Amino acid sequence: MNALIKAATVIDSKSPHNGNVVDIRIKDGIITEIASTLTPSKNEKTITFDDLKVSSGWFDTSVSIGEPGYEERETIKNGLKVAALSGFTGIAVNPNTNPIIDTSADVAFMMHKSAGNATELFPIGALSRNSESVDLAELYDMQQSGAVAFGDYQKPVSNPNLLKIALQYTQGFDGLVLSFPQENDIAGKGQVNEGVMSTRIGLKGKPAIAESLQVARDLHILEYTGGKLHIPTISTKASVHLIADAKAKGLDVTSSAAIHNLFFTDDVLEDFNTNYKVTPPLRNQDDVEALIQGIKTGVIDFVTSDHNPLDVERKHVEFDNATYGTISQEATFGALLTLVSEKKAVKLLTQGRARFTNKEQSIVEGANANLTLFSIKGSYTFSESDIKSKSKNAAFLGAKLKGKVYGIVNNNQIILND
């Protein structure tokens, strides 16, 4: 693949071209020239867009894909296409398939099935066998097959000793442990955030302390054991403060927030729209403001789509019976751009790669062309025509978003939106 990207503003703090408008020549998937003006060659594709910005490829730290086992929700092939059209050149895929990804053979299947696509798939192996929080899964063997982290998706590590052992064991091979922030005994059968809205609409609530208590426990264990811990999709003000204190102590901890927990409050639940039924639940305004402050100050390291396709039978039911989850990947950049600057948005969408893969990308000559192309101009209302996923359970339907994703360049391929 040979291409020439014309008149693109580089947004990449690690690149010497950061902030400059440049042309970028790509030959056989490698950036060969970067200059203020380059002349197109006959054998290369010229890429031009209005208000074109280019950054290192975005990385999504929490994505669910149905395959294997739930192909009716999403396949690997289409899931990677959705990610590419949403601007992501790499996605960390959760183990909530059937069977659960808890062996090296499962990881090898995911790696083999996803090979050759423009967007790269990085499996997250289950932390415990069958994600039951009883026995550790074969972590080292999974890493050797390609797993980049270990966690039980949306299932807390109920056994604290299991987390302790995992953090100790993974230090031998620099493994990353994920721990979902929820104390199940306190969360109980809660459906939404416990507060004014849960009382008004008559749904059982999950109190914020169910999250912060688990976060506090996990951070105490991390302080004792050492190791690398990632706390995915936090949603409360207390969690932000706890993680800030842990970082001040020098603990090796990162955290993420899901884009829907940053964009919506639990006020949207008044109509019982099951697309807003997510876990952790949408919280109140104070929590959302604390999360936004957290991403601005760096306490929260990454913003994820927490993209979770679900078939219609799991959402078109009574709220109590609906499954937790929303598709958000197609809306992630547009929603994030309403909250922070384009430079901060790019940082939040790129720095997860180093944490999960131990590799960094930059826009420099000689590097692999791993790029996201986008614009920050304009606004639009997210509609069904913007959904690329097989499943349609989108919380962002009707939301006012900003900017536009043009596509990606990666793995010697170009994927562009129509």
Side-chain angles (χ1 to χ4, degrees):
M1 178 273 293
N2 298 328
L4 180 64
I5 301 172
K6 295 288 292 181
T9 301
V10 175
I11 301 180
D12 178 1
S13 60
K14 298 181 180 66
S15 170
H17 306 283
N18 185 35
N20 297 333
V21 179
V22 298
D23 292 353
I24 302 173
R25 174 164 280 128
I26 301 166
K27 185 175 182 180
D28 297 329
I30 305 295
I31 298 174
T32 58
E33 289 183 89
I34 301 176
S36 56
T37 303
L38 294 172
T39 302
S41 300
K42 291 182 179 179
N43 64 339
E44 64 187 11
K45 177 182 178 66
T46 300
I47 300 174
T48 59
F49 288 106
D50 179 49
D51 183 49
L52 178 57
K53 315 288 184 187
V54 60
S55 73
S56 293
W58 301 343
F59 187 92
D60 197 340
T61 59
S62 178
V63 179
S64 296
I65 291 180
E67 190 176 2
Y70 303 115
E71 287 84 356
E72 71 279 5
R73 302 179 188 178
E74 189 60 277
T75 62
I76 289 174
K77 182 178 179 180
N78 192 66
L80 291 174
K81 181 181 178 181
V82 172
L85 295 174
S86 303
F88 295 95
T89 63
I91 58 173
V93 174
N94 297 309
N96 56 328
T97 51
N98 186 19
I100 286 172
I101 301 171
D102 62 359
T103 69
S104 58
D106 297 329
V107 172
F109 168 83
M110 299 294 286
M111 298 294 289
H112 174 75
K113 196 70 186 283
S114 63
N117 286 275
T119 294
E120 297 167 274
L121 185 154
F122 298 90
I124 297 172
L127 184 69
S128 62
R129 291 180 184 174
N130 207 36
S131 290
E132 292 176 343
S133 200
V134 176
D135 298 307
L136 281 185
E138 49 182 64
L139 307 187
Y140 177 75
D141 289 346
M142 284 194 288
Q143 190 200 51
Q144 294 300 295
S145 294
V148 295
F150 311 101
D152 298 327
Y153 181 64
Q154 293 189 348
K155 294 181 178 180
V157 184
S158 58
N159 180 352
N161 191 53
L162 193 72
L163 180 63
K164 178 181 77 71
I165 293 170
L167 285 166
Q168 291 171 328
Y169 175 60
T170 51
Q171 290 177 55
F173 51 92
D174 197 32
L176 178 64
V177 173
L178 278 58
S179 181
F180 182 66
Q182 178 172 290
E183 212 298 324
N184 276 345
D185 289 335
I186 293 181
K189 296 182 179 179
Q191 300 284 312
V192 298
N193 179 53
E194 183 180 84
V196 173
M197 183 54 65
S198 65
T199 302
R200 182 185 301 170
I201 62 180
L203 291 174
K204 293 179 180 179
K206 287 184 182 181
I209 194 175
E211 175 177 299
S212 57
L213 188 64
Q214 191 83 350
V215 170
R217 185 207 74 170
D218 292 351
L219 292 173
H220 278 300
I221 294 172
L222 177 65
E223 188 172 10
Y224 175 78
T225 60
K228 294 167 60 176
L229 178 67
H230 176 67
I231 303 176
T233 60
I234 65 169
S235 67
T236 69
K237 182 177 182 178
S239 294
V240 175
H241 292 322
L242 287 165
I243 292 169
D245 291 344
K247 288 188 171 187
K249 292 179 180 179
L251 300 186
D252 192 352
V253 60
T254 52
S255 65
S256 66
I259 187 61
H260 40 269
N261 286 106
L262 291 162
F263 193 85
F264 298 107
T265 68
D266 59 357
D267 288 342
V268 299
L269 295 169
E270 200 149 22
D271 293 332
F272 297 93
N273 184 341
T274 57
N275 286 334
Y276 295 124
K277 185 178 181 181
V278 293
T279 186
L282 303 178
R283 302 289 186 180
N284 61 34
Q285 188 65 39
D286 283 348
D287 287 315
V288 171
E289 289 177 359
L291 292 177
I292 294 172
Q293 185 65 17
I295 64 173
K296 289 180 176 180
T297 60
V299 174
I300 298 173
D301 303 89
F302 324 124
V303 169
T304 176
S305 68
D306 201 27
H307 186 76
N308 192 359
L310 295 168
D311 51 89
V312 65
E313 288 84 1
R314 294 182 177 270
K315 280 296 187 180
H316 285 198
V317 293
E318 298 85 354
F319 199 96
D320 279 355
N321 296 324
T323 302
Y324 295 101
T326 177
I327 57 170
S328 297
Q329 203 163 56
E330 298 98 317
T332 296
F333 176 67
L336 186 56
L337 205 58
T338 68
L339 305 174
V340 297
S341 69
E342 68 271 19
K343 292 181 181 179
K344 176 59 75 171
V346 165
K347 185 175 183 180
L348 290 163
L349 294 175
T350 55
Q351 60 188 6
R353 183 182 300 274
R355 182 64 165 174
F356 278 72
T357 72
N358 293 316
K359 296 178 182 177
E360 294 191 27
Q361 301 287 339
S362 187
I363 302 175
V364 295
E365 291 180 356
N368 289 330
N370 186 325
L371 308 171
T372 298
L373 312 176
F374 60 97
S375 169
I376 62 171
K377 278 189 176 179
S379 61
Y380 67 102
T381 300
F382 190 84
S383 66
E384 287 192 14
S385 64
D386 296 304
I387 297 176
K388 312 298 182 184
S389 306
K390 284 187 68 176
S391 295
K392 309 302 177 185
N393 54 306
F396 280 94
L397 285 170
K400 193 75 171 290
L401 309 180
K402 285 186 176 182
K404 180 178 178 61
V405 174
Y406 290 130
I408 65 167
V409 179
N410 188 42
N411 205 17
N412 204 19
Q413 297 174 58
I414 303 170
I415 304 292
L416 300 176
N417 278 292
D418 297 332

